[in-house]
Amino acid sequence: MKKHFPPDEMRKDLDNLLAKINALEVSAPDDYQKGIVKVLRVLVEGQIHSINEFEHLKKAIDLVTLQLFDTQNKINS
């Protein structure tokens, strides 16, 4: 089974990939290759956005869990 990488490491790898995609766009000789580069950029940016949104969801779940425990403690007191 594959190991899950930390979000910071995945974000760093995707940023490096985005830099390579930007370099490809500069050196692309025709519109077809420039179009492919644009598609790749959208995919990588989407992955970066997904990682960021997942981090927000984890924080929201943590806050809801803390609120649930706080409410249970108040009820049991």
Side-chain angles (χ1 to χ4, degrees), residues 26-70:
V26 171
S27 65
D30 58 22
D31 288 339
Y32 175 75
Q33 289 182 2
K34 287 181 183 182
I36 290 174
V37 168
K38 288 179 183 180
V39 170
L40 289 172
R41 179 181 295 111
V42 169
L43 291 173
V44 170
E45 288 173 346
Q47 286 293 89
I48 292 170
H49 179 74
S50 295
I51 290 169
N52 292 336
E53 287 300 313
F54 186 70
E55 289 296 311
H56 292 305
L57 287 173
K58 285 183 2 184
K59 288 178 185 176
I61 290 170
D62 288 345
L63 290 172
V64 169
T65 304
L66 286 173
Q67 195 68 35
L68 178 66
F69 286 135
D70 187 41

